[in-house]
Amino acid sequence: MKKVLILGGSFFQVPAIQKVVELGYYVILCDLLKDVPGKQYAHEFYQVSTSDKKSILKLAQSLQIDGILCYGADSGAQTAAFVAEKMGLPTYPLEAVEVLTNKELFRKFQRRHKFNTPKAKGYSRYAEVKEEVDQFRLPLMIKPVDSSGSRGISIVRSVLQLEEKVNIALSHSKVKRFIVEEYIENYGPHVGGEGFVVNGELVFRCFSNEQFSTSQKNPFISVIASWPYMMPQKLHLKIHNEIQRLITLLNLTTGALNFDIRIDENENVYLIEVAPRNGGACNCKIIQYNTGIDLIEYTIKASLGEDCSDLKQVEPTGYWSDYVIVSQQPGKFREIKIDEHFSKKHLVEYELLVNPGQDIDFPEESYEILGTMVLRFSSMEEMLKKMKNIHNWVKVNVETRNKLTYRNLL
C-alpha cells in the first residue's frame, strides 16, 4: 500500500485526507496541533510543525513515504517540495514554490519577466517605508511576505494608517518582512478558482467570481465564490495565457494551482497570487459539481507520480456558489437561521463548524469561520442577485449582553 504524507489536518484539509483513504492509500498526517479534525481519518498522526522542513524530512525518510502534499494551505508547501526533492518524489521545483509562496519574491519575478504587476517593494521596518511612501500612489496594500489565508493584510488609504498596518503585517510574518504595493481596482469581479498542470501545460482551469467581506475586521476574507466566471471568453483566454507563461517560466510540471487575479479597466491581467496548491473552502467540491472533474484525486495522483494525462478542459455547467459564513457581531453563537424556501430551492450542502454557546469574534483570518454552504441557482442573474442579498436568507444568531441579535453576514 502506497504511503502519502499529508501536511496539515484542518477542516479544509479533511477532503484530501478522506480522498487518499478512499483511493486505498495509507495516510500519514502531520500537524503542529494535536487535536485537528483530520486526525480521525489518518492511519498515523505525528505532532510536527508543517513548516519544520528538517523534522518532516527525517520523518518521511524513516516512514519511506511514496508521496507528500500540502492541500489547501501555503504553510507546508515549501516543506512538501523540499522533502520531495530530497527523496526524489514528484513535486513542483522547490525554487518555484519558494517564489510562489513569498509575495516579495513573486513581485520581483513578475517584474523581471514583464508581467503586469502593481508597483511594490519589500521592507523590514516601518522607518524604511516611511521614507519612501511618497513614491507610491494611494491606496496601498500592506502584506506580510510569507502569510496566507488573508492573515495580516491591510489596505492603507491615508499615510496616518501606515504604521499601524505595518505592525499588523510584521506580527503575521515569520521572517519579519512585508511588502507595500499599490492597489489595483477591479474591472468586473475579482478572479479566483483552480487550475491543474500536466507535464508543464495548464490543461484545466475553472475561474470563479470572488466577493470579499468588506464590513469585517479583515475585509480581504473571501466569503462568496461563484461559478462560472461571468466575464467574456476573451478574458478567460487572456488569463489562461498569462498563467501558462508563468508555468513555463517556473518549470512547473504536474500539480494543482489556486488563483487570485485582478483585471483592470484596460483588461490587463494581474496575477496577484498563484499558489502551488488547491484552494480551501469548497472550491474543489463545487468544481466537481459543475465539471465532473475531481481535482483532489488528480492532486493525490500527481504527488505519487501517477498518470494524469487524461485530464482535459471541461467547461462548467449550471450556476453555483460557495458561501463562507462569518459573523458580523462578537458574542456567544446560538444558531444560523436559514430561510426555509431559500434552503429548499438552493442549498446543496451545508456544514456548521461551531457549537451553540461557543464564543465567536470578528474573523481576522480565513479559517475563523462559522460554516460553509454550497448553493445552486437556475441562472447567472438569479445567482448574482440572491448572493448579493444573501443576508436576507441566512443570518447568524448571536447573544450579546443578554440579548439575541440577528446580523447579516457580509
Side-chain angles (χ1 to χ4, degrees), residues 337-399:
K337 188 174 180 62
I338 307 170
D339 178 83
E340 186 176 353
H341 177 73
F342 181 87
S343 176
K344 287 181 179 178
K345 188 175 181 181
H346 302 296
L347 187 59
V348 178
E349 291 188 28
Y350 166 53
E351 189 152 9
L352 183 64
L353 305 180
V354 292
N355 299 313
Q358 186 172 329
D359 289 329
I360 60 174
D361 201 348
F362 297 114
E364 294 187 63
E365 301 175 10
S366 61
Y367 55 78
E368 295 172 335
I369 63 175
L370 307 183
T372 61
M373 289 182 172
V374 174
L375 302 159
R376 188 174 188 178
F377 301 89
S378 60
S379 68
M380 178 70 78
E381 181 182 11
E382 180 187 42
M383 178 173 69
L384 295 178
K385 181 179 179 180
K386 289 193 173 179
M387 293 309 294
K388 182 179 179 180
N389 298 287
I390 186 72
H391 55 274
N392 291 337
W393 297 285
V394 182
K395 300 176 185 291
V396 176
N397 183 337
V398 177
E399 181 179 347

Short mmCIF file of all heavy atoms in Angstrom, two decimals, residues 337-399:
data_model
loop_
_atom_site.label_atom_id
_atom_site.label_comp_id
_atom_site.label_asym_id
_atom_site.label_seq_id
_atom_site.Cartn_x
_atom_site.Cartn_y
_atom_site.Cartn_z
N LYS A 337 -29.66 30.82 11.09
CA LYS A 337 -31.05 30.70 10.66
C LYS A 337 -31.12 30.84 9.14
O LYS A 337 -30.71 31.86 8.58
CB LYS A 337 -31.91 31.77 11.33
CG LYS A 337 -33.40 31.61 11.11
CD LYS A 337 -34.17 32.61 11.93
CE LYS A 337 -35.68 32.47 11.74
NZ LYS A 337 -36.16 31.14 12.17
N ILE A 338 -31.62 29.80 8.47
CA ILE A 338 -31.70 29.78 7.02
C ILE A 338 -33.17 29.78 6.61
O ILE A 338 -33.96 28.97 7.08
CB ILE A 338 -31.00 28.54 6.45
CG1 ILE A 338 -29.58 28.43 7.00
CG2 ILE A 338 -30.98 28.59 4.92
CD1 ILE A 338 -28.91 27.10 6.67
N ASP A 339 -33.52 30.71 5.73
CA ASP A 339 -34.89 30.77 5.23
C ASP A 339 -35.28 29.43 4.59
O ASP A 339 -34.54 28.88 3.78
CB ASP A 339 -34.99 31.89 4.19
CG ASP A 339 -36.38 31.99 3.59
OD1 ASP A 339 -37.24 32.63 4.20
OD2 ASP A 339 -36.59 31.41 2.49
N GLU A 340 -36.43 28.90 4.98
CA GLU A 340 -36.84 27.56 4.55
C GLU A 340 -37.01 27.46 3.04
O GLU A 340 -36.56 26.49 2.41
CB GLU A 340 -38.16 27.17 5.26
CG GLU A 340 -38.59 25.75 4.97
CD GLU A 340 -39.83 25.35 5.76
OE1 GLU A 340 -40.27 26.14 6.62
OE2 GLU A 340 -40.34 24.24 5.51
N HIS A 341 -37.64 28.45 2.43
CA HIS A 341 -37.85 28.42 0.98
C HIS A 341 -36.51 28.50 0.24
O HIS A 341 -36.26 27.77 -0.73
CB HIS A 341 -38.76 29.57 0.55
CG HIS A 341 -38.97 29.64 -0.94
ND1 HIS A 341 -39.74 28.75 -1.62
CD2 HIS A 341 -38.47 30.51 -1.88
CE1 HIS A 341 -39.74 29.05 -2.91
NE2 HIS A 341 -38.96 30.11 -3.09
N PHE A 342 -35.64 29.39 0.71
CA PHE A 342 -34.30 29.54 0.11
C PHE A 342 -33.53 28.22 0.22
O PHE A 342 -32.88 27.79 -0.74
CB PHE A 342 -33.55 30.66 0.82
CG PHE A 342 -32.18 30.93 0.28
CD1 PHE A 342 -31.98 31.80 -0.78
CD2 PHE A 342 -31.07 30.31 0.85
CE1 PHE A 342 -30.71 32.05 -1.28
CE2 PHE A 342 -29.79 30.55 0.36
CZ PHE A 342 -29.62 31.42 -0.71
N SER A 343 -33.61 27.59 1.37
CA SER A 343 -32.90 26.34 1.60
C SER A 343 -33.37 25.24 0.65
O SER A 343 -32.56 24.55 0.02
CB SER A 343 -33.09 25.88 3.05
OG SER A 343 -32.48 24.64 3.26
N LYS A 344 -34.68 25.07 0.52
CA LYS A 344 -35.23 24.03 -0.33
C LYS A 344 -34.88 24.24 -1.80
O LYS A 344 -34.62 23.30 -2.54
CB LYS A 344 -36.75 23.97 -0.17
CG LYS A 344 -37.21 23.38 1.16
CD LYS A 344 -38.72 23.34 1.24
CE LYS A 344 -39.17 22.72 2.56
NZ LYS A 344 -40.66 22.70 2.67
N LYS A 345 -34.84 25.49 -2.20
CA LYS A 345 -34.61 25.80 -3.61
C LYS A 345 -33.14 25.80 -4.00
O LYS A 345 -32.79 25.41 -5.12
CB LYS A 345 -35.23 27.16 -3.95
CG LYS A 345 -35.21 27.48 -5.44
CD LYS A 345 -35.94 28.78 -5.73
CE LYS A 345 -35.92 29.07 -7.24
NZ LYS A 345 -36.60 30.34 -7.58
N HIS A 346 -32.23 26.20 -3.09
CA HIS A 346 -30.85 26.45 -3.48
C HIS A 346 -29.78 25.68 -2.72
O HIS A 346 -28.68 25.50 -3.24
CB HIS A 346 -30.54 27.95 -3.35
CG HIS A 346 -31.44 28.84 -4.15
ND1 HIS A 346 -31.48 28.80 -5.51
CD2 HIS A 346 -32.34 29.78 -3.75
CE1 HIS A 346 -32.37 29.69 -5.96
NE2 HIS A 346 -32.90 30.29 -4.91
N LEU A 347 -30.05 25.24 -1.50
CA LEU A 347 -29.00 24.66 -0.67
C LEU A 347 -28.69 23.22 -1.07
O LEU A 347 -29.57 22.36 -1.06
CB LEU A 347 -29.41 24.71 0.81
CG LEU A 347 -28.34 24.30 1.82
CD1 LEU A 347 -27.11 25.18 1.72
CD2 LEU A 347 -28.92 24.36 3.25
N VAL A 348 -27.43 22.97 -1.43
CA VAL A 348 -26.97 21.64 -1.82
C VAL A 348 -26.23 20.97 -0.67
O VAL A 348 -26.47 19.81 -0.36
CB VAL A 348 -26.06 21.73 -3.07
CG1 VAL A 348 -25.53 20.34 -3.45
CG2 VAL A 348 -26.80 22.35 -4.24
N GLU A 349 -25.33 21.70 -0.04
CA GLU A 349 -24.59 21.19 1.12
C GLU A 349 -24.42 22.31 2.13
O GLU A 349 -24.30 23.48 1.77
CB GLU A 349 -23.20 20.69 0.71
CG GLU A 349 -23.20 19.44 -0.13
CD GLU A 349 -21.80 18.87 -0.32
OE1 GLU A 349 -20.95 19.10 0.58
OE2 GLU A 349 -21.55 18.23 -1.34
N TYR A 350 -24.39 21.92 3.40
CA TYR A 350 -24.22 22.90 4.47
C TYR A 350 -23.47 22.23 5.61
O TYR A 350 -23.80 21.12 6.03
CB TYR A 350 -25.59 23.40 4.95
CG TYR A 350 -25.59 24.16 6.26
CD1 TYR A 350 -24.75 25.26 6.44
CD2 TYR A 350 -26.45 23.79 7.30
CE1 TYR A 350 -24.76 25.96 7.63
CE2 TYR A 350 -26.47 24.51 8.48
CZ TYR A 350 -25.63 25.59 8.65
OH TYR A 350 -25.63 26.30 9.82
N GLU A 351 -22.44 22.88 6.11
CA GLU A 351 -21.68 22.34 7.23
C GLU A 351 -21.45 23.42 8.27
O GLU A 351 -20.91 24.49 7.96
CB GLU A 351 -20.34 21.77 6.76
CG GLU A 351 -19.62 21.00 7.84
CD GLU A 351 -18.72 19.91 7.31
OE1 GLU A 351 -18.51 19.87 6.08
OE2 GLU A 351 -18.21 19.12 8.13
N LEU A 352 -21.86 23.16 9.50
CA LEU A 352 -21.68 24.08 10.62
C LEU A 352 -20.41 23.70 11.36
O LEU A 352 -20.19 22.53 11.69
CB LEU A 352 -22.88 24.00 11.56
CG LEU A 352 -22.89 24.95 12.76
CD1 LEU A 352 -22.96 26.40 12.29
CD2 LEU A 352 -24.06 24.63 13.68
N LEU A 353 -19.55 24.68 11.65
CA LEU A 353 -18.24 24.41 12.25
C LEU A 353 -18.11 24.87 13.69
O LEU A 353 -17.04 24.74 14.29
CB LEU A 353 -17.15 25.07 11.41
CG LEU A 353 -17.13 24.71 9.92
CD1 LEU A 353 -16.01 25.44 9.21
CD2 LEU A 353 -16.99 23.21 9.74
N VAL A 354 -19.17 25.43 14.26
CA VAL A 354 -19.14 25.89 15.65
C VAL A 354 -20.33 25.28 16.41
O VAL A 354 -21.29 24.81 15.80
CB VAL A 354 -19.20 27.43 15.74
CG1 VAL A 354 -17.92 28.04 15.21
CG2 VAL A 354 -20.41 27.99 15.01
N ASN A 355 -20.25 25.33 17.72
CA ASN A 355 -21.30 24.77 18.57
C ASN A 355 -22.07 25.87 19.29
O ASN A 355 -21.50 26.93 19.60
CB ASN A 355 -20.69 23.83 19.61
CG ASN A 355 -19.97 22.66 18.97
OD1 ASN A 355 -20.51 22.01 18.08
ND2 ASN A 355 -18.76 22.39 19.43
N PRO A 356 -23.36 25.68 19.57
CA PRO A 356 -24.12 26.65 20.35
C PRO A 356 -23.44 26.95 21.67
O PRO A 356 -22.95 26.04 22.35
CB PRO A 356 -25.47 25.96 20.55
CG PRO A 356 -25.59 25.03 19.38
CD PRO A 356 -24.19 24.54 19.12
N GLY A 357 -23.36 28.23 22.03
CA GLY A 357 -22.71 28.65 23.27
C GLY A 357 -21.25 28.99 23.10
O GLY A 357 -20.62 29.53 24.02
N GLN A 358 -20.69 28.70 21.93
CA GLN A 358 -19.27 28.98 21.68
C GLN A 358 -19.07 30.47 21.46
O GLN A 358 -19.85 31.13 20.78
CB GLN A 358 -18.82 28.19 20.45
CG GLN A 358 -17.34 28.29 20.16
CD GLN A 358 -16.93 27.34 19.04
OE1 GLN A 358 -17.52 26.26 18.86
NE2 GLN A 358 -15.91 27.73 18.27
N ASP A 359 -17.99 31.01 22.03
CA ASP A 359 -17.66 32.42 21.82
C ASP A 359 -17.13 32.62 20.41
O ASP A 359 -16.28 31.86 19.93
CB ASP A 359 -16.60 32.88 22.82
CG ASP A 359 -17.15 32.99 24.23
OD1 ASP A 359 -18.35 33.30 24.37
OD2 ASP A 359 -16.38 32.76 25.19
N ILE A 360 -17.63 33.66 19.72
CA ILE A 360 -17.15 33.98 18.39
C ILE A 360 -16.78 35.45 18.32
O ILE A 360 -17.23 36.26 19.13
CB ILE A 360 -18.21 33.66 17.31
CG1 ILE A 360 -19.50 34.45 17.54
CG2 ILE A 360 -18.51 32.17 17.27
CD1 ILE A 360 -20.52 34.29 16.44
N ASP A 361 -15.96 35.79 17.36
CA ASP A 361 -15.48 37.15 17.21
C ASP A 361 -15.44 37.49 15.73
O ASP A 361 -15.70 36.65 14.87
CB ASP A 361 -14.09 37.29 17.84
CG ASP A 361 -13.75 38.74 18.19
OD1 ASP A 361 -14.49 39.64 17.74
OD2 ASP A 361 -12.76 38.95 18.90
N PHE A 362 -15.10 38.74 15.42
CA PHE A 362 -14.89 39.12 14.03
C PHE A 362 -13.72 38.31 13.48
O PHE A 362 -12.67 38.22 14.12
CB PHE A 362 -14.54 40.61 13.92
CG PHE A 362 -15.63 41.53 14.37
CD1 PHE A 362 -15.46 42.32 15.50
CD2 PHE A 362 -16.82 41.61 13.69
CE1 PHE A 362 -16.45 43.19 15.92
CE2 PHE A 362 -17.83 42.47 14.10
CZ PHE A 362 -17.64 43.27 15.22
N PRO A 363 -13.86 37.73 12.29
CA PRO A 363 -12.74 36.94 11.75
C PRO A 363 -11.60 37.82 11.28
O PRO A 363 -11.80 38.82 10.61
CB PRO A 363 -13.38 36.21 10.57
CG PRO A 363 -14.50 37.09 10.14
CD PRO A 363 -15.03 37.73 11.40
N GLU A 364 -10.38 37.45 11.66
CA GLU A 364 -9.18 38.12 11.17
C GLU A 364 -8.46 37.24 10.16
O GLU A 364 -7.61 37.71 9.42
CB GLU A 364 -8.24 38.44 12.34
CG GLU A 364 -8.79 39.46 13.30
CD GLU A 364 -7.75 39.87 14.34
OE1 GLU A 364 -6.71 40.42 13.93
OE2 GLU A 364 -7.97 39.62 15.53
N GLU A 365 -8.81 35.95 10.12
CA GLU A 365 -8.14 35.03 9.22
C GLU A 365 -9.20 34.16 8.54
O GLU A 365 -10.31 34.00 9.04
CB GLU A 365 -7.15 34.16 10.00
CG GLU A 365 -6.09 35.00 10.71
CD GLU A 365 -5.17 34.19 11.59
OE1 GLU A 365 -5.22 32.95 11.51
OE2 GLU A 365 -4.39 34.78 12.33
N SER A 366 -8.81 33.59 7.42
CA SER A 366 -9.79 32.89 6.58
C SER A 366 -10.36 31.64 7.22
O SER A 366 -11.42 31.16 6.83
CB SER A 366 -9.15 32.53 5.24
OG SER A 366 -8.05 31.68 5.42
N TYR A 367 -9.66 31.06 8.21
CA TYR A 367 -10.18 29.84 8.80
C TYR A 367 -11.04 30.10 10.03
O TYR A 367 -11.55 29.18 10.66
CB TYR A 367 -9.04 28.87 9.14
CG TYR A 367 -7.96 29.43 10.02
CD1 TYR A 367 -8.14 29.55 11.39
CD2 TYR A 367 -6.73 29.82 9.49
CE1 TYR A 367 -7.14 30.05 12.20
CE2 TYR A 367 -5.73 30.32 10.30
CZ TYR A 367 -5.94 30.42 11.65
OH TYR A 367 -4.94 30.92 12.45
N GLU A 368 -11.23 31.36 10.42
CA GLU A 368 -12.08 31.69 11.57
C GLU A 368 -13.51 31.88 11.08
O GLU A 368 -14.04 32.98 11.04
CB GLU A 368 -11.56 32.95 12.26
CG GLU A 368 -10.19 32.77 12.88
CD GLU A 368 -9.60 34.08 13.38
OE1 GLU A 368 -9.99 35.14 12.87
OE2 GLU A 368 -8.76 34.03 14.28
N ILE A 369 -14.13 30.80 10.70
CA ILE A 369 -15.45 30.87 10.08
C ILE A 369 -16.43 30.00 10.86
O ILE A 369 -16.05 29.15 11.66
CB ILE A 369 -15.41 30.43 8.61
CG1 ILE A 369 -14.99 28.96 8.51
CG2 ILE A 369 -14.45 31.32 7.81
CD1 ILE A 369 -15.04 28.43 7.11
N LEU A 370 -17.72 30.23 10.60
CA LEU A 370 -18.78 29.52 11.31
C LEU A 370 -19.31 28.32 10.53
O LEU A 370 -19.79 27.36 11.13
CB LEU A 370 -19.93 30.48 11.61
CG LEU A 370 -19.57 31.78 12.33
CD1 LEU A 370 -20.82 32.59 12.62
CD2 LEU A 370 -18.80 31.50 13.62
N GLY A 371 -19.25 28.40 9.22
CA GLY A 371 -19.77 27.30 8.42
C GLY A 371 -19.60 27.57 6.94
O GLY A 371 -19.13 28.64 6.53
N THR A 372 -19.98 26.60 6.13
CA THR A 372 -19.89 26.74 4.67
C THR A 372 -21.17 26.22 4.03
O THR A 372 -21.83 25.33 4.56
CB THR A 372 -18.70 25.97 4.09
OG1 THR A 372 -18.85 24.57 4.38
CG2 THR A 372 -17.38 26.46 4.69
N MET A 373 -21.47 26.79 2.86
CA MET A 373 -22.63 26.37 2.09
C MET A 373 -22.26 26.20 0.63
O MET A 373 -21.47 26.98 0.09
CB MET A 373 -23.75 27.41 2.18
CG MET A 373 -24.43 27.51 3.50
SD MET A 373 -25.77 28.74 3.46
CE MET A 373 -26.51 28.46 5.06
N VAL A 374 -22.83 25.19 0.00
CA VAL A 374 -22.79 25.04 -1.45
C VAL A 374 -24.21 25.29 -1.95
O VAL A 374 -25.16 24.65 -1.50
CB VAL A 374 -22.32 23.63 -1.86
CG1 VAL A 374 -22.42 23.47 -3.38
CG2 VAL A 374 -20.89 23.38 -1.38
N LEU A 375 -24.34 26.24 -2.87
CA LEU A 375 -25.64 26.68 -3.35
C LEU A 375 -25.73 26.56 -4.88
O LEU A 375 -24.73 26.76 -5.57
CB LEU A 375 -25.90 28.13 -2.95
CG LEU A 375 -25.84 28.41 -1.44
CD1 LEU A 375 -25.60 29.89 -1.18
CD2 LEU A 375 -27.13 27.95 -0.76
N ARG A 376 -26.92 26.27 -5.37
CA ARG A 376 -27.13 26.16 -6.82
C ARG A 376 -28.30 27.04 -7.25
O ARG A 376 -29.30 27.16 -6.52
CB ARG A 376 -27.39 24.72 -7.23
CG ARG A 376 -27.41 24.53 -8.74
CD ARG A 376 -27.52 23.09 -9.15
NE ARG A 376 -27.33 22.97 -10.60
CZ ARG A 376 -27.34 21.83 -11.27
NH1 ARG A 376 -27.54 20.69 -10.62
NH2 ARG A 376 -27.16 21.80 -12.58
N PHE A 377 -28.18 27.64 -8.44
CA PHE A 377 -29.20 28.56 -8.95
C PHE A 377 -29.55 28.21 -10.40
O PHE A 377 -28.84 27.44 -11.05
CB PHE A 377 -28.70 30.00 -8.86
CG PHE A 377 -28.35 30.41 -7.44
CD1 PHE A 377 -27.08 30.21 -6.93
CD2 PHE A 377 -29.31 30.96 -6.62
CE1 PHE A 377 -26.75 30.56 -5.63
CE2 PHE A 377 -29.02 31.32 -5.31
CZ PHE A 377 -27.74 31.11 -4.82
N SER A 378 -30.63 28.78 -10.88
CA SER A 378 -31.11 28.44 -12.23
C SER A 378 -30.54 29.34 -13.31
O SER A 378 -30.65 29.02 -14.49
CB SER A 378 -32.65 28.51 -12.25
OG SER A 378 -33.09 29.82 -11.91
N SER A 379 -29.96 30.48 -12.92
CA SER A 379 -29.39 31.39 -13.91
C SER A 379 -28.33 32.27 -13.26
O SER A 379 -28.27 32.39 -12.04
CB SER A 379 -30.48 32.29 -14.51
OG SER A 379 -30.97 33.20 -13.53
N MET A 380 -27.50 32.89 -14.10
CA MET A 380 -26.49 33.81 -13.59
C MET A 380 -27.17 35.00 -12.92
O MET A 380 -26.74 35.45 -11.84
CB MET A 380 -25.61 34.30 -14.74
CG MET A 380 -24.55 35.32 -14.34
SD MET A 380 -23.23 34.64 -13.33
CE MET A 380 -22.25 33.81 -14.62
N GLU A 381 -28.22 35.50 -13.52
CA GLU A 381 -28.93 36.65 -12.97
C GLU A 381 -29.47 36.34 -11.58
O GLU A 381 -29.33 37.14 -10.65
CB GLU A 381 -30.07 37.06 -13.90
CG GLU A 381 -30.85 38.26 -13.42
CD GLU A 381 -32.01 38.63 -14.35
OE1 GLU A 381 -32.33 37.81 -15.24
OE2 GLU A 381 -32.59 39.71 -14.16
N GLU A 382 -30.11 35.17 -11.42
CA GLU A 382 -30.65 34.79 -10.12
C GLU A 382 -29.52 34.64 -9.10
O GLU A 382 -29.64 35.12 -7.96
CB GLU A 382 -31.42 33.47 -10.23
CG GLU A 382 -32.01 33.02 -8.89
CD GLU A 382 -32.62 31.65 -8.96
OE1 GLU A 382 -32.02 30.75 -9.59
OE2 GLU A 382 -33.70 31.44 -8.37
N MET A 383 -28.44 34.00 -9.50
CA MET A 383 -27.33 33.78 -8.57
C MET A 383 -26.73 35.09 -8.08
O MET A 383 -26.55 35.29 -6.88
CB MET A 383 -26.25 32.94 -9.25
CG MET A 383 -25.02 32.69 -8.38
SD MET A 383 -23.86 31.53 -9.13
CE MET A 383 -23.25 32.53 -10.52
N LEU A 384 -26.44 36.00 -9.01
CA LEU A 384 -25.81 37.26 -8.62
C LEU A 384 -26.73 38.09 -7.73
O LEU A 384 -26.29 38.70 -6.76
CB LEU A 384 -25.42 38.06 -9.86
CG LEU A 384 -24.33 37.41 -10.74
CD1 LEU A 384 -24.08 38.27 -11.97
CD2 LEU A 384 -23.05 37.20 -9.96
N LYS A 385 -28.00 38.09 -8.05
CA LYS A 385 -28.98 38.87 -7.27
C LYS A 385 -29.12 38.30 -5.86
O LYS A 385 -29.08 39.04 -4.86
CB LYS A 385 -30.33 38.89 -7.97
CG LYS A 385 -31.38 39.71 -7.24
CD LYS A 385 -32.70 39.71 -8.01
CE LYS A 385 -33.77 40.52 -7.28
NZ LYS A 385 -35.05 40.52 -8.03
N LYS A 386 -29.27 36.99 -5.76
CA LYS A 386 -29.51 36.39 -4.45
C LYS A 386 -28.24 36.36 -3.59
O LYS A 386 -28.31 36.53 -2.37
CB LYS A 386 -30.11 35.00 -4.61
CG LYS A 386 -31.55 35.06 -5.11
CD LYS A 386 -32.28 33.75 -4.99
CE LYS A 386 -33.76 33.93 -5.33
NZ LYS A 386 -34.52 32.65 -5.25
N MET A 387 -27.09 36.16 -4.21
CA MET A 387 -25.86 36.16 -3.43
C MET A 387 -25.52 37.57 -2.95
O MET A 387 -24.94 37.74 -1.88
CB MET A 387 -24.71 35.56 -4.22
CG MET A 387 -24.86 34.07 -4.51
SD MET A 387 -25.23 33.05 -3.05
CE MET A 387 -23.72 33.22 -2.10
N LYS A 388 -25.89 38.57 -3.73
CA LYS A 388 -25.68 39.95 -3.31
C LYS A 388 -26.50 40.27 -2.07
O LYS A 388 -26.10 41.08 -1.21
CB LYS A 388 -26.04 40.90 -4.43
CG LYS A 388 -25.80 42.37 -4.11
CD LYS A 388 -26.17 43.26 -5.29
CE LYS A 388 -25.94 44.73 -4.95
NZ LYS A 388 -26.29 45.62 -6.10
N ASN A 389 -27.64 39.60 -1.94
CA ASN A 389 -28.54 39.84 -0.81
C ASN A 389 -28.69 38.61 0.08
O ASN A 389 -29.74 38.38 0.66
CB ASN A 389 -29.92 40.26 -1.34
CG ASN A 389 -29.87 41.55 -2.14
OD1 ASN A 389 -29.71 42.63 -1.59
ND2 ASN A 389 -30.00 41.44 -3.46
N ILE A 390 -27.61 37.85 0.20
CA ILE A 390 -27.66 36.59 0.93
C ILE A 390 -28.08 36.79 2.39
O ILE A 390 -28.71 35.91 3.00
CB ILE A 390 -26.27 35.88 0.87
CG1 ILE A 390 -26.33 34.49 1.49
CG2 ILE A 390 -25.19 36.71 1.52
CD1 ILE A 390 -27.09 33.48 0.67
N HIS A 391 -27.79 37.97 2.95
CA HIS A 391 -28.15 38.22 4.35
C HIS A 391 -29.65 38.25 4.57
O HIS A 391 -30.12 38.17 5.71
CB HIS A 391 -27.54 39.54 4.82
CG HIS A 391 -27.91 40.71 3.97
ND1 HIS A 391 -27.20 41.05 2.83
CD2 HIS A 391 -28.92 41.60 4.08
CE1 HIS A 391 -27.76 42.12 2.29
NE2 HIS A 391 -28.80 42.47 3.02
N ASN A 392 -30.45 38.34 3.49
CA ASN A 392 -31.90 38.28 3.64
C ASN A 392 -32.38 36.87 3.97
O ASN A 392 -33.47 36.69 4.51
CB ASN A 392 -32.59 38.74 2.36
CG ASN A 392 -32.42 40.23 2.11
OD1 ASN A 392 -32.18 40.99 3.05
ND2 ASN A 392 -32.52 40.64 0.86
N TRP A 393 -31.55 35.86 3.65
CA TRP A 393 -31.98 34.48 3.81
C TRP A 393 -31.13 33.68 4.80
O TRP A 393 -31.55 32.63 5.27
CB TRP A 393 -31.95 33.77 2.45
CG TRP A 393 -32.92 34.38 1.49
CD1 TRP A 393 -34.29 34.23 1.48
CD2 TRP A 393 -32.61 35.26 0.42
NE1 TRP A 393 -34.83 34.96 0.46
CE2 TRP A 393 -33.84 35.61 -0.22
CE3 TRP A 393 -31.43 35.79 -0.10
CZ2 TRP A 393 -33.90 36.46 -1.31
CZ3 TRP A 393 -31.49 36.65 -1.18
CH2 TRP A 393 -32.72 36.97 -1.78
N VAL A 394 -29.93 34.17 5.08
CA VAL A 394 -29.04 33.45 6.00
C VAL A 394 -28.54 34.44 7.06
O VAL A 394 -27.89 35.42 6.74
CB VAL A 394 -27.84 32.84 5.25
CG1 VAL A 394 -26.97 32.05 6.21
CG2 VAL A 394 -28.31 31.95 4.10
N LYS A 395 -28.85 34.15 8.32
CA LYS A 395 -28.48 35.05 9.40
C LYS A 395 -27.82 34.29 10.55
O LYS A 395 -28.16 33.13 10.81
CB LYS A 395 -29.71 35.80 9.93
CG LYS A 395 -30.42 36.66 8.88
CD LYS A 395 -31.69 37.28 9.47
CE LYS A 395 -32.48 38.03 8.41
NZ LYS A 395 -31.78 39.24 7.96
N VAL A 396 -26.89 34.96 11.22
CA VAL A 396 -26.25 34.37 12.39
C VAL A 396 -26.93 34.89 13.64
O VAL A 396 -27.11 36.10 13.81
CB VAL A 396 -24.75 34.74 12.43
CG1 VAL A 396 -24.10 34.21 13.71
CG2 VAL A 396 -24.02 34.17 11.22
N ASN A 397 -27.31 33.98 14.51
CA ASN A 397 -27.96 34.31 15.78
C ASN A 397 -26.87 34.36 16.86
O ASN A 397 -26.27 33.34 17.18
CB ASN A 397 -29.01 33.24 16.09
CG ASN A 397 -29.79 33.53 17.35
OD1 ASN A 397 -29.33 34.26 18.22
ND2 ASN A 397 -30.96 32.93 17.46
N VAL A 398 -26.62 35.57 17.39
CA VAL A 398 -25.56 35.78 18.37
C VAL A 398 -26.14 36.42 19.62
O VAL A 398 -26.95 37.35 19.54
CB VAL A 398 -24.45 36.68 17.78
CG1 VAL A 398 -23.37 36.96 18.83
CG2 VAL A 398 -23.84 36.04 16.56
N GLU A 399 -25.72 35.94 20.78
CA GLU A 399 -26.15 36.54 22.04
C GLU A 399 -25.10 37.55 22.50
O GLU A 399 -23.94 37.23 22.70
CB GLU A 399 -26.31 35.46 23.11
CG GLU A 399 -26.77 36.02 24.45
CD GLU A 399 -26.94 34.93 25.49
OE1 GLU A 399 -26.94 33.76 25.13
OE2 GLU A 399 -27.07 35.30 26.68
#
